[in-house]
Amino acid sequence: MNDLGLARLEAQIQFLVEGAFSQLFSRQVQPHDLAVRLARAMETNAGPARDNDPRAIAPDDFVIELNAAEQQRLISRQPALEALLSEHLAELANDLHLRLLQSPLVHININPDIEPGDLRVSAAHQAQLKGATSVLERIAAPISLTPANAHLVIDGLRIELLTSPLVTIGRGNDNTIVLDDPYASRYHAQLRLRFGVYTYFDINSQSGSLINDVRVHEHRLQAGDVIRLGRTQILYMDESDSSSTQTSFAID
């Protein structure tokens, strides 16, 4: 198991619930427990690689089962926890060198058979669950809000709207945004939605990434940022307050 990725997930869960685990479970269940179980569920349920990509396929549908009272108290304390955990699991898959076919979903469900102070985590692939009916009570996952009219302008000609919490960019045909650029890596970068803001991550590409002419590995995007990867130039725009000023976009 990737210790760095696990430690980061644990810290993220601790931040998200702001001590709720220690209060809810009287210290019997801690963020570390949930982080370990999520990571193990992801690794254990990974499927075989395919499409000439050496990475195993990560599961993308996670169910966390709790006692009814604890589930309700946890959700009331952090209503967006399911959506936020979904974003962090996308990061964990990258840390574990696994491939996601879809943005991961997280469901925090009630299971009356779970004892107080305990939890159960399972993982599956969304493609295998289509048409299946859950026997457990399901809680609707809150929608992770995206910036208004967030989009990319690629080489001044092509516009890509951003609506997903995880967007992959690269030369490979299975990316969310496919670049016709031989100088871009097959899997060059990701955009991850965090608390309503997209963050750009270079995923160990060969040529790296520049944003506003500065080499970056991670960058919190603002309207008007200019991204350069390979020989492709990308303008990020949204309708946040920072986008009130018009930004010119020059093509080399």
Side-chain angles (χ1 to χ4, degrees):
M1 187 179 295
N2 185 303
D3 292 336
L4 178 61
L6 180 61
R8 182 162 63 181
L9 180 65
E10 179 183 343
Q12 290 164 341
I13 293 173
Q14 178 71 64
F15 174 77
L16 289 178
V17 298
E18 299 175 338
F21 276 89
S22 60
Q23 295 180 27
L24 289 174
F25 302 123
S26 302
R27 300 184 181 179
Q28 294 182 58
V29 175
Q30 294 293 317
H32 177 74
D33 296 299
L34 180 55
V36 167
R37 296 193 197 191
L38 285 168
R40 285 178 177 166
M42 179 173 282
E43 287 187 316
T44 301
N45 294 280
R50 66 189 198 194
D51 302 328
N52 297 320
D53 189 317
R55 295 173 297 170
I57 305 297
D60 49 24
D61 194 281
F62 293 81
V63 176
I64 301 168
E65 300 173 49
L66 299 170
N67 173 273
E70 292 167 346
Q71 188 269 357
Q72 292 167 6
R73 289 162 61 191
L74 185 60
I75 290 294
S76 66
R77 187 175 183 93
Q78 177 52 272
L81 183 58
E82 290 170 316
L84 294 171
L85 282 175
S86 298
E87 298 173 24
H88 297 317
L89 282 172
E91 296 182 23
L92 179 64
N94 185 59
D95 289 333
L96 296 175
H97 305 292
L98 299 174
R99 174 186 173 194
L100 280 167
L101 299 182
Q102 303 183 71
S103 297
L105 299 177
V106 175
H107 315 281
I108 302 178
N109 291 346
I110 294 170
N111 186 335
D113 296 329
I114 300 293
E115 295 292 330
D118 197 6
L119 60 84
R120 184 180 301 163
V121 175
S122 59
H125 296 261
Q126 293 178 41
Q128 297 174 351
L129 296 175
K130 290 181 179 179
T133 302
S134 174
V135 297
L136 301 176
E137 178 182 350
R138 292 179 73 89
I139 305 299
I143 298 173
S144 183
L145 296 177
T146 60
N149 194 28
H151 60 279
L152 302 177
V153 184
I154 301 174
D155 287 333
L157 300 172
R158 169 183 163 198
I159 296 177
E160 294 282 354
L161 297 178
L162 302 176
T163 58
S164 171
L166 176 65
V167 177
T168 60
I169 305 173
R171 188 167 38 84
N173 290 330
D174 53 347
N175 285 285
T176 312
I177 297 175
V178 179
L179 301 178
D180 184 15
D181 181 349
Y183 294 92
S185 293
R186 187 173 181 184
Y187 305 102
H188 201 110
Q190 292 180 347
L191 303 185
R192 303 176 196 165
L193 189 61
R194 288 176 162 178
F195 308 105
V197 177
Y198 277 107
T199 299
Y200 179 96
F201 291 86
D202 184 283
I203 48 178
N204 299 317
S205 66
Q206 290 187 350
S207 59
S209 300
L210 298 176
I211 297 184
N212 303 326
D213 295 323
V214 176
R215 187 169 295 276
V216 302
H217 174 71
E218 176 179 339
H219 178 82
R220 184 182 173 95
L221 289 172
Q222 297 181 1
D225 282 344
V226 178
I227 305 164
R228 295 178 184 269
L229 54 90
R231 292 192 175 178
T232 301
Q233 182 169 286
I234 302 173
L235 174 67
Y236 171 79
M237 292 297 294
D238 63 34
E239 293 182 359
S240 62
D241 291 341
S242 61
S243 63
S244 57
T245 302
Q246 289 286 341
T247 304
S248 61
F249 184 75
I251 303 176
D252 292 338

